[in-house]
Coordinates of all heavy atoms in Angstrom, one line a residue:
M1 N 96.3 202.0 5.5 CA 97.6 202.3 5.9 C 98.0 203.6 5.3 O 97.8 203.9 4.1 CB 98.5 201.2 5.4 CG 100.0 201.4 5.7 SD 101.1 200.0 5.4 CE 100.6 199.4 3.8
N2 N 98.6 204.5 6.1 CA 99.0 205.8 5.7 C 100.5 205.8 5.3 O 101.4 205.9 6.2 CB 98.8 206.8 6.9 CG 99.0 208.2 6.4 OD1 99.7 208.5 5.5 ND2 98.4 209.1 7.2
T3 N 100.7 205.6 4.0 CA 102.1 205.5 3.6 C 102.9 206.8 3.7 O 104.1 206.8 3.8 CB 102.2 205.1 2.1 OG1 101.4 206.0 1.3 CG2 101.6 203.7 1.9
N4 N 102.2 208.0 3.8 CA 102.8 209.3 4.0 C 103.5 209.3 5.4 O 104.6 209.8 5.5 CB 101.9 210.4 3.8 CG 101.5 210.6 2.4 OD1 102.2 210.3 1.4 ND2 100.3 211.1 2.2
V5 N 102.8 208.8 6.4 CA 103.3 208.8 7.7 C 104.5 207.9 7.8 O 105.5 208.2 8.4 CB 102.2 208.4 8.7 CG1 102.8 208.0 10.1 CG2 101.2 209.5 8.9
I6 N 104.4 206.7 7.2 CA 105.5 205.7 7.2 C 106.7 206.3 6.5 O 107.8 206.2 7.0 CB 105.0 204.4 6.5 CG1 103.9 203.8 7.4 CG2 106.2 203.5 6.4 CD1 103.2 202.6 6.6
Q7 N 106.5 206.9 5.3 CA 107.6 207.5 4.6 C 108.3 208.6 5.4 O 109.5 208.7 5.4 CB 107.1 208.1 3.3 CG 106.8 207.0 2.2 CD 106.2 207.6 1.0 OE1 106.9 208.5 0.4 NE2 105.1 207.2 0.5
F8 N 107.5 209.5 6.0 CA 108.0 210.5 6.8 C 108.9 210.0 7.9 O 110.1 210.4 8.1 CB 106.9 211.4 7.4 CG 107.4 212.4 8.4 CD1 108.0 213.6 8.0 CD2 107.3 212.2 9.8 CE1 108.5 214.5 8.9 CE2 107.8 213.1 10.7 CZ 108.4 214.3 10.2
E9 N 108.4 209.1 8.7 CA 109.2 208.5 9.8 C 110.4 207.8 9.4 O 111.5 207.9 10.0 CB 108.3 207.7 10.7 CG 107.2 208.4 11.5 CD 107.7 209.5 12.5 OE1 108.9 209.5 12.8 OE2 106.8 210.2 13.0
L10 N 110.3 207.0 8.3 CA 111.4 206.2 7.8 C 112.5 207.2 7.2 O 113.7 206.9 7.3 CB 111.0 205.2 6.8 CG 110.2 204.0 7.3 CD1 109.8 203.1 6.2 CD2 110.9 203.3 8.4
Y11 N 112.0 208.2 6.5 CA 113.0 209.2 6.0 C 113.7 209.9 7.1 O 115.0 210.0 7.1 CB 112.2 210.3 5.2 CG 113.1 211.4 4.7 CD1 114.0 211.2 3.6 CD2 113.1 212.6 5.3 CE1 114.8 212.2 3.2 CE2 114.0 213.6 4.9 CZ 114.8 213.4 3.8 OH 115.6 214.4 3.4
E12 N 113.0 210.3 8.2 CA 113.7 210.9 9.3 C 114.7 209.9 10.0 O 115.8 210.3 10.3 CB 112.7 211.3 10.4 CG 111.8 212.5 9.9 CD 112.7 213.8 9.8 OE1 113.4 214.1 10.8 OE2 112.5 214.5 8.8
A13 N 114.3 208.7 10.1 CA 115.2 207.7 10.7 C 116.4 207.5 9.8 O 117.6 207.4 10.3 CB 114.5 206.3 10.8
S14 N 116.2 207.5 8.5 CA 117.4 207.3 7.6 C 118.3 208.5 7.6 O 119.6 208.3 7.6 CB 116.9 207.0 6.1 OG 116.3 208.2 5.6
I15 N 117.8 209.7 7.7 CA 118.7 210.9 7.8 C 119.5 210.8 9.1 O 120.7 211.0 9.1 CB 117.8 212.2 7.8 CG1 117.1 212.4 6.5 CG2 118.7 213.4 8.2 CD1 118.1 212.6 5.3
H16 N 118.9 210.5 10.2 CA 119.6 210.4 11.5 C 120.6 209.2 11.5 O 121.7 209.3 12.0 CB 118.7 210.3 12.7 CG 117.9 211.5 12.9 ND1 118.4 212.7 13.3 CD2 116.6 211.8 12.7 CE1 117.5 213.6 13.4 NE2 116.3 213.1 13.0
L17 N 120.2 208.1 10.9 CA 121.1 206.9 10.8 C 122.3 207.3 9.9 O 123.5 206.9 10.3 CB 120.3 205.7 10.2 CG 121.1 204.4 10.2 CD1 121.5 204.0 11.6 CD2 120.2 203.4 9.6
Q18 N 122.1 207.9 8.8 CA 123.3 208.3 8.0 C 124.2 209.3 8.7 O 125.4 209.1 8.6 CB 122.8 208.9 6.6 CG 123.9 209.1 5.7 CD 124.7 207.8 5.3 OE1 124.0 206.9 4.8 NE2 126.0 207.8 5.4
G19 N 123.6 210.2 9.4 CA 124.5 211.2 10.1 C 125.2 210.5 11.2 O 126.4 210.8 11.4
F20 N 124.6 209.6 11.9 CA 125.3 208.8 13.0 C 126.4 207.9 12.4 O 127.5 207.9 12.9 CB 124.2 207.9 13.7 CG 124.7 207.1 14.8 CD1 125.6 207.7 15.7 CD2 124.3 205.8 15.0 CE1 126.0 206.9 16.8 CE2 124.7 205.1 16.1 CZ 125.6 205.6 17.0
F21 N 126.1 207.3 11.3 CA 127.1 206.5 10.6 C 128.3 207.3 10.2 O 129.5 206.9 10.4 CB 126.5 205.8 9.4 CG 127.5 205.0 8.6 CD1 127.9 203.8 9.0 CD2 128.1 205.6 7.4 CE1 128.9 203.1 8.2 CE2 129.0 204.9 6.7 CZ 129.4 203.7 7.1
D22 N 128.0 208.5 9.6 CA 129.1 209.4 9.2 C 130.0 209.8 10.4 O 131.2 209.9 10.3 CB 128.6 210.6 8.5 CG 127.9 210.3 7.2 OD1 128.2 209.2 6.6 OD2 127.2 211.2 6.7
E23 N 129.3 210.1 11.5 CA 130.1 210.5 12.7 C 131.0 209.4 13.2 O 132.1 209.6 13.6 CB 129.1 211.0 13.8 CG 128.5 212.3 13.5 CD 127.6 212.8 14.6 OE1 127.3 212.0 15.6 OE2 127.1 213.9 14.6
L24 N 130.4 208.2 13.2 CA 131.2 207.0 13.6 C 132.4 206.8 12.7 O 133.5 206.6 13.1 CB 130.3 205.7 13.7 CG 129.4 205.6 14.8 CD1 128.4 204.5 14.6 CD2 130.1 205.4 16.1
R25 N 132.1 206.8 11.4 CA 133.1 206.6 10.4 C 134.2 207.6 10.4 O 135.4 207.3 10.3 CB 132.5 206.6 9.0 CG 133.5 206.3 7.8 CD 133.0 206.7 6.5 NE 132.7 208.1 6.5 CZ 131.6 208.6 5.9 NH1 130.8 207.9 5.3 NH2 131.4 209.9 5.9
D26 N 133.9 208.9 10.7 CA 134.9 209.9 10.7 C 135.6 210.1 12.1 O 136.4 211.0 12.3 CB 134.2 211.3 10.4 CG 133.6 211.3 9.0 OD1 134.1 210.5 8.1 OD2 132.8 212.2 8.7
G27 N 135.3 209.2 13.0 CA 135.9 209.2 14.3 C 135.5 210.3 15.2 O 136.2 210.6 16.2
K28 N 134.3 210.8 15.0 CA 133.8 211.9 15.8 C 133.1 211.4 17.1 O 132.9 212.2 18.0 CB 132.8 212.8 15.0 CG 133.4 213.5 13.9 CD 132.4 214.3 13.1 CE 133.1 215.1 11.9 NZ 132.1 215.8 11.1
I29 N 132.9 210.1 17.2 CA 132.4 209.5 18.4 C 133.4 208.5 18.9 O 133.7 207.6 18.2 CB 131.0 208.8 18.1 CG1 130.0 209.9 17.6 CG2 130.5 208.1 19.3 CD1 128.7 209.3 17.1
A30 N 133.8 208.7 20.1 CA 134.8 207.8 20.7 C 134.2 206.5 21.1 O 133.0 206.4 21.3 CB 135.5 208.5 21.9
E31 N 135.0 205.4 21.2 CA 134.5 204.1 21.6 C 133.9 204.2 23.0 O 133.0 203.4 23.3 CB 135.6 203.1 21.5 CG 136.0 202.7 20.1 CD 137.0 201.6 20.1 OE1 137.1 200.8 21.0 OE2 137.8 201.5 19.1
S32 N 134.4 205.1 23.8 CA 133.9 205.2 25.2 C 132.7 206.1 25.3 O 132.3 206.4 26.4 CB 135.0 205.6 26.1 OG 135.5 206.9 25.7
D33 N 132.2 206.7 24.2 CA 131.2 207.7 24.3 C 129.8 207.0 24.3 O 129.0 207.3 23.4 CB 131.3 208.7 23.2 CG 130.7 210.0 23.5 OD1 130.0 210.1 24.5 OD2 130.9 211.0 22.7
T34 N 129.5 206.2 25.3 CA 128.2 205.5 25.4 C 127.0 206.5 25.4 O 126.0 206.2 24.8 CB 128.2 204.6 26.6 OG1 129.3 203.7 26.4 CG2 126.9 203.8 26.7
P35 N 127.0 207.6 26.1 CA 125.9 208.5 26.1 C 125.5 209.0 24.7 O 124.3 209.0 24.4 CB 126.3 209.7 27.0 CG 127.3 209.1 27.9 CD 128.1 208.1 27.0
V36 N 126.5 209.3 23.8 CA 126.2 209.7 22.5 C 125.5 208.6 21.7 O 124.5 208.7 21.0 CB 127.4 210.2 21.7 CG1 127.1 210.5 20.3 CG2 127.9 211.5 22.4
L37 N 126.1 207.4 21.9 CA 125.5 206.2 21.2 C 124.1 206.0 21.6 O 123.2 205.7 20.8 CB 126.4 205.0 21.5 CG 125.8 203.6 21.0 CD1 126.0 203.5 19.5 CD2 126.5 202.5 21.7
T38 N 123.8 206.1 22.9 CA 122.5 205.9 23.5 C 121.5 206.8 22.9 O 120.4 206.5 22.5 CB 122.5 206.0 25.0 OG1 123.4 205.0 25.5 CG2 121.2 205.8 25.6
V39 N 121.8 208.1 22.9 CA 120.9 209.2 22.4 C 120.7 209.0 20.9 O 119.5 209.0 20.5 CB 121.5 210.6 22.7 CG1 120.7 211.6 22.0 CG2 121.5 210.8 24.2
Q40 N 121.7 208.7 20.1 CA 121.6 208.6 18.7 C 120.7 207.4 18.4 O 119.8 207.4 17.6 CB 122.9 208.4 18.0 CG 123.8 209.7 18.1 CD 123.4 210.7 17.0 OE1 122.3 210.6 16.4 NE2 124.2 211.6 16.7
M41 N 121.0 206.2 19.0 CA 120.2 205.0 18.7 C 118.8 205.1 19.2 O 117.9 204.7 18.5 CB 120.9 203.8 19.3 CG 122.3 203.5 18.8 SD 122.2 203.0 17.0 CE 121.5 201.4 17.2
A42 N 118.6 205.7 20.3 CA 117.2 205.9 20.8 C 116.4 206.8 19.9 O 115.2 206.5 19.6 CB 117.2 206.5 22.2
H43 N 117.0 207.8 19.3 CA 116.3 208.7 18.4 C 115.9 208.0 17.1 O 114.8 208.1 16.7 CB 117.2 209.9 18.1 CG 116.4 211.0 17.3 ND1 115.6 211.9 17.9 CD2 116.4 211.2 16.0 CE1 115.1 212.7 17.0 NE2 115.5 212.3 15.8
I44 N 116.8 207.2 16.6 CA 116.5 206.4 15.4 C 115.4 205.4 15.7 O 114.5 205.2 14.9 CB 117.8 205.7 14.9 CG1 118.8 206.8 14.4 CG2 117.5 204.7 13.8 CD1 120.2 206.3 14.3
M45 N 115.5 204.7 16.9 CA 114.5 203.8 17.2 C 113.1 204.4 17.4 O 112.1 203.8 17.0 CB 114.8 203.0 18.5 CG 115.9 202.0 18.4 SD 115.5 200.7 17.2 CE 114.1 200.0 18.1
D46 N 113.1 205.6 17.9 CA 111.8 206.4 18.1 C 111.1 206.5 16.7 O 109.9 206.3 16.6 CB 112.0 207.8 18.6 CG 112.4 207.8 20.1 OD1 112.3 206.7 20.8 OD2 112.8 208.9 20.6
H47 N 111.9 206.9 15.7 CA 111.3 207.0 14.4 C 110.8 205.7 13.8 O 109.7 205.6 13.2 CB 112.3 207.7 13.4 CG 112.5 209.1 13.6 ND1 111.5 210.1 13.3 CD2 113.6 209.8 14.0 CE1 112.0 211.3 13.6 NE2 113.2 211.1 14.0
L48 N 111.5 204.6 14.0 CA 111.1 203.3 13.5 C 109.9 202.8 14.3 O 108.9 202.3 13.6 CB 112.2 202.3 13.7 CG 113.5 202.5 12.9 CD1 114.6 201.5 13.2 CD2 113.2 202.5 11.4
C49 N 109.8 203.1 15.6 CA 108.6 202.7 16.3 C 107.4 203.5 15.8 O 106.3 202.9 15.6 CB 108.8 203.0 17.8 SG 109.9 201.8 18.6
R50 N 107.6 204.8 15.6 CA 106.4 205.6 15.1 C 106.0 205.2 13.7 O 104.8 205.3 13.4 CB 106.8 207.1 15.2 CG 106.6 207.6 16.6 CD 106.6 209.1 16.7 NE 107.7 209.8 16.0 CZ 108.9 210.0 16.5 NH1 109.1 209.7 17.8 NH2 109.9 210.6 15.8
A51 N 107.0 204.8 12.9 CA 106.6 204.4 11.5 C 105.6 203.2 11.6 O 104.6 203.2 10.9 CB 107.9 204.0 10.7
W52 N 105.9 202.3 12.5 CA 105.0 201.2 12.7 C 103.7 201.5 13.4 O 102.6 201.2 13.0 CB 105.7 200.0 13.4 CG 104.8 198.9 13.6 CD1 104.1 198.6 14.7 CD2 104.4 197.9 12.6 NE1 103.3 197.4 14.5 CE2 103.5 197.0 13.2 CE3 104.7 197.7 11.3 CZ2 102.9 195.9 12.6 CZ3 104.2 196.6 10.6 CH2 103.3 195.8 11.3
N53 N 103.9 202.2 14.6 CA 102.7 202.4 15.5 C 101.8 203.5 14.9 O 100.6 203.5 15.3 CB 103.2 202.8 16.8 CG 103.9 201.7 17.6 OD1 103.5 200.6 17.4 ND2 104.9 202.0 18.3
C54 N 102.2 204.3 14.0 CA 101.4 205.4 13.5 C 100.9 205.1 12.1 O 100.3 205.9 11.4 CB 102.1 206.7 13.5 SG 102.5 207.3 15.2
K55 N 101.2 203.9 11.6 CA 100.9 203.6 10.2 C 99.4 203.7 9.8 O 99.1 203.9 8.7 CB 101.4 202.2 9.8 CG 100.7 201.0 10.5 CD 101.4 199.7 10.2 CE 100.7 198.6 10.8 NZ 100.4 198.6 12.2
D56 N 98.5 203.5 10.8 CA 97.1 203.5 10.5 C 96.5 204.9 10.9 O 95.2 205.0 10.9 CB 96.4 202.4 11.2 CG 96.9 201.0 10.7 OD1 97.0 200.9 9.4 OD2 97.0 200.1 11.4
L57 N 97.3 205.8 11.4 CA 96.7 207.2 11.7 C 96.6 208.0 10.4 O 97.5 207.9 9.5 CB 97.7 207.9 12.7 CG 97.8 207.3 14.1 CD1 98.8 208.2 14.9 CD2 96.5 207.2 14.8
S58 N 95.6 208.9 10.4 CA 95.6 209.9 9.3 C 96.7 210.8 9.5 O 97.3 211.0 10.6 CB 94.3 210.6 9.4 OG 94.2 211.5 10.5
S59 N 97.1 211.5 8.5 CA 98.2 212.5 8.6 C 97.8 213.6 9.6 O 98.7 214.0 10.4 CB 98.4 213.2 7.2 OG 98.9 212.2 6.3
E60 N 96.6 214.0 9.7 CA 96.1 215.0 10.7 C 96.3 214.4 12.1 O 96.8 215.1 13.0 CB 94.7 215.4 10.4 CG 94.2 216.4 11.3 CD 92.7 216.9 11.0 OE1 92.2 216.4 10.0 OE2 92.2 217.6 11.9
D61 N 95.8 213.2 12.3 CA 95.9 212.6 13.6 C 97.4 212.5 14.0 O 97.8 212.7 15.2 CB 95.2 211.2 13.7 CG 93.7 211.4 13.7 OD1 93.2 212.5 14.0 OD2 93.1 210.3 13.4
H62 N 98.3 212.1 13.1 CA 99.7 211.9 13.3 C 100.3 213.3 13.8 O 101.1 213.4 14.7 CB 100.4 211.4 12.1 CG 101.9 211.2 12.2 ND1 102.8 212.1 11.7 CD2 102.6 210.3 12.9 CE1 104.0 211.7 12.0 NE2 103.9 210.6 12.7
A63 N 99.9 214.3 13.1 CA 100.4 215.7 13.4 C 99.9 216.2 14.7 O 100.5 217.1 15.3 CB 100.1 216.6 12.2
N64 N 98.8 215.7 15.1 CA 98.1 216.3 16.3 C 98.2 215.4 17.5 O 97.4 215.5 18.5 CB 96.7 216.6 16.0 CG 96.5 217.8 15.1 OD1 97.3 218.8 15.2 ND2 95.7 217.6 14.1
L65 N 99.1 214.4 17.6 CA 99.3 213.6 18.7 C 99.6 214.4 20.0 O 100.4 215.3 19.9 CB 100.4 212.6 18.5 CG 100.2 211.5 17.5 CD1 101.5 210.7 17.2 CD2 99.1 210.5 18.0
S66 N 99.0 214.0 21.1 CA 99.4 214.7 22.3 C 100.9 214.3 22.7 O 101.4 213.3 22.2 CB 98.5 214.3 23.5 OG 98.7 212.9 23.8
Q67 N 101.5 215.0 23.5 CA 102.9 214.7 23.9 C 103.0 213.3 24.6 O 103.9 212.5 24.3 CB 103.4 215.7 24.9 CG 104.9 215.6 25.2 CD 105.8 215.7 23.9 OE1 105.5 216.5 23.1 NE2 106.9 214.9 23.9
V68 N 102.0 213.0 25.4 CA 102.0 211.7 26.1 C 101.8 210.6 25.0 O 102.5 209.6 25.1 CB 100.8 211.6 27.1 CG1 100.6 210.2 27.6 CG2 101.1 212.6 28.2
E69 N 100.9 210.7 24.1 CA 100.7 209.7 23.1 C 101.9 209.6 22.1 O 102.3 208.5 21.7 CB 99.4 210.0 22.3 CG 98.9 208.8 21.4 CD 98.6 207.6 22.1 OE1 98.6 207.5 23.4 OE2 98.2 206.6 21.5
F70 N 102.5 210.7 21.8 CA 103.6 210.8 20.9 C 104.8 209.9 21.6 O 105.4 209.1 20.9 CB 104.1 212.2 20.7 CG 105.3 212.4 19.9 CD1 105.2 212.4 18.5 CD2 106.5 212.5 20.4 CE1 106.3 212.6 17.7 CE2 107.7 212.7 19.7 CZ 107.6 212.7 18.3
E71 N 105.0 210.2 22.9 CA 106.1 209.5 23.6 C 105.7 208.0 23.7 O 106.6 207.1 23.5 CB 106.3 210.1 24.9 CG 106.9 211.5 24.8 CD 107.1 212.2 26.2 OE1 106.9 211.5 27.2 OE2 107.4 213.4 26.1
R72 N 104.5 207.7 24.0 CA 104.1 206.2 24.1 C 104.3 205.5 22.7 O 104.9 204.4 22.7 CB 102.6 206.1 24.5 CG 102.2 204.6 24.7 CD 100.7 204.5 25.0 NE 100.0 204.6 23.8 CZ 99.8 203.7 22.9 NH1 100.4 202.5 23.0 NH2 99.0 203.9 21.8
L73 N 103.9 206.1 21.7 CA 104.1 205.5 20.3 C 105.6 205.5 19.9 O 106.0 204.6 19.1 CB 103.3 206.2 19.3 CG 101.8 206.1 19.5 CD1 101.0 207.0 18.5 CD2 101.3 204.7 19.4
S74 N 106.4 206.4 20.4 CA 107.8 206.4 20.1 C 108.6 205.3 20.9 O 109.6 204.9 20.4 CB 108.4 207.8 20.5 OG 107.8 208.8 19.8
H75 N 108.1 204.9 22.0 CA 108.8 204.0 22.9 C 108.2 202.6 23.0 O 108.6 201.8 23.8 CB 108.9 204.6 24.3 CG 109.6 205.9 24.3 ND1 109.2 206.9 25.1 CD2 110.6 206.4 23.5 CE1 109.9 208.0 24.9 NE2 110.8 207.7 23.9
T76 N 107.2 202.3 22.2 CA 106.6 201.0 22.2 C 107.0 200.2 21.0 O 106.7 200.6 19.9 CB 105.0 201.2 22.2 OG1 104.6 201.9 23.3 CG2 104.4 199.8 22.3
I77 N 107.7 199.1 21.2 CA 108.2 198.3 20.2 C 107.2 197.2 19.9 O 107.0 196.4 20.8 CB 109.6 197.7 20.5 CG1 110.6 198.8 20.7 CG2 110.0 196.8 19.4 CD1 111.9 198.3 21.2
P78 N 106.6 197.1 18.8 CA 105.6 196.1 18.5 C 106.3 194.8 18.2 O 107.4 194.7 17.7 CB 104.8 196.6 17.3 CG 105.8 197.5 16.6 CD 106.7 198.1 17.7
N79 N 105.6 193.7 18.6 CA 106.0 192.4 18.2 C 104.7 191.5 18.1 O 103.6 192.0 18.4 CB 107.1 191.8 19.1 CG 106.5 191.5 20.5 OD1 105.4 191.2 20.7 ND2 107.4 191.6 21.5
F80 N 104.9 190.3 17.7 CA 103.7 189.4 17.5 C 103.1 188.9 18.8 O 102.0 188.4 18.8 CB 104.1 188.2 16.7 CG 104.4 188.6 15.3 CD1 105.7 188.4 14.8 CD2 103.5 189.2 14.4 CE1 106.1 188.8 13.5 CE2 103.9 189.6 13.1 CZ 105.1 189.4 12.7
M81 N 103.8 189.1 19.9 CA 103.3 188.6 21.2 C 102.8 189.7 22.1 O 102.7 189.6 23.3 CB 104.4 187.8 21.9 CG 105.0 186.6 21.1 SD 103.7 185.5 20.7 CE 103.4 184.7 22.3
G82 N 102.6 190.9 21.6 CA 102.2 192.1 22.4 C 103.2 193.2 22.3 O 104.2 193.1 21.6
E83 N 103.0 194.2 23.1 CA 103.9 195.4 23.1 C 105.0 195.2 24.1 O 104.9 194.6 25.1 CB 103.1 196.6 23.4 CG 102.1 196.9 22.3 CD 101.3 198.2 22.7 OE1 101.2 198.6 23.9 OE2 100.7 198.8 21.8
R84 N 106.1 195.8 23.7 CA 107.3 195.9 24.7 C 107.5 197.4 24.8 O 107.7 198.1 23.8 CB 108.5 195.3 24.1 CG 108.4 193.8 23.9 CD 109.8 193.3 23.4 NE 109.6 191.8 23.2 CZ 110.4 191.2 22.3 NH1 111.3 191.8 21.6 NH2 110.2 189.9 22.1
I85 N 107.6 197.8 26.0 CA 107.8 199.3 26.3 C 109.3 199.5 26.7 O 109.8 198.9 27.6 CB 106.9 199.7 27.5 CG1 105.5 199.4 27.3 CG2 107.1 201.2 27.7 CD1 104.8 200.0 26.1
L86 N 109.9 200.4 25.9 CA 111.2 200.8 26.3 C 111.2 201.7 27.5 O 110.3 202.6 27.6 CB 111.9 201.6 25.1 CG 112.1 200.9 23.8 CD1 112.7 201.8 22.8 CD2 113.1 199.7 24.1
G87 N 112.0 201.5 28.4 CA 112.0 202.3 29.6 C 113.3 202.5 30.2 O 114.3 202.0 29.7
E88 N 113.3 203.1 31.3 CA 114.6 203.4 32.1 C 115.3 202.1 32.4 O 116.5 202.1 32.4 CB 114.2 204.2 33.3 CG 115.4 204.6 34.1 CD 115.0 205.5 35.3 OE1 113.9 206.0 35.3 OE2 115.8 205.6 36.2
Y89 N 114.6 201.0 32.7 CA 115.2 199.8 33.1 C 115.2 198.7 32.1 O 115.5 197.6 32.4 CB 114.5 199.3 34.4 CG 114.6 200.4 35.5 CD1 113.4 201.1 35.8 CD2 115.8 200.6 36.1 CE1 113.4 202.0 36.8 CE2 115.8 201.6 37.1 CZ 114.6 202.3 37.4 OH 114.7 203.3 38.4
A90 N 114.9 199.1 30.8 CA 114.8 198.1 29.8 C 116.2 197.5 29.5 O 117.2 198.2 29.5 CB 114.3 198.7 28.5
L91 N 116.3 196.2 29.3 CA 117.6 195.6 29.0 C 117.5 194.9 27.6 O 116.4 194.4 27.2 CB 117.9 194.5 30.0 CG 118.0 194.9 31.4 CD1 118.2 193.7 32.3 CD2 119.2 195.8 31.6
C92 N 118.6 195.0 26.9 CA 118.6 194.4 25.5 C 119.3 193.0 25.6 O 120.2 192.8 26.4 CB 119.3 195.3 24.5 SG 118.4 196.8 24.2

């Protein structure tokens, strides 16, 4: 397990999460501003997905992911029953 990769992705997620929280708390994001909510939450989820999906990659392999593989690992939510892919039509 590559704890450096996990720490990097979780740190990035925490920075974005704290910034998002601050914007919500300070009233900078309106209740009707769903696009901002969507972008912010998706970005945080990307980091969390990569923290899990890249945990067994070397730091070099993590840094050299192709764009296609980077996006796949960013949008694949692991669970015990197989992978779930986030996509345009995904419902929560």
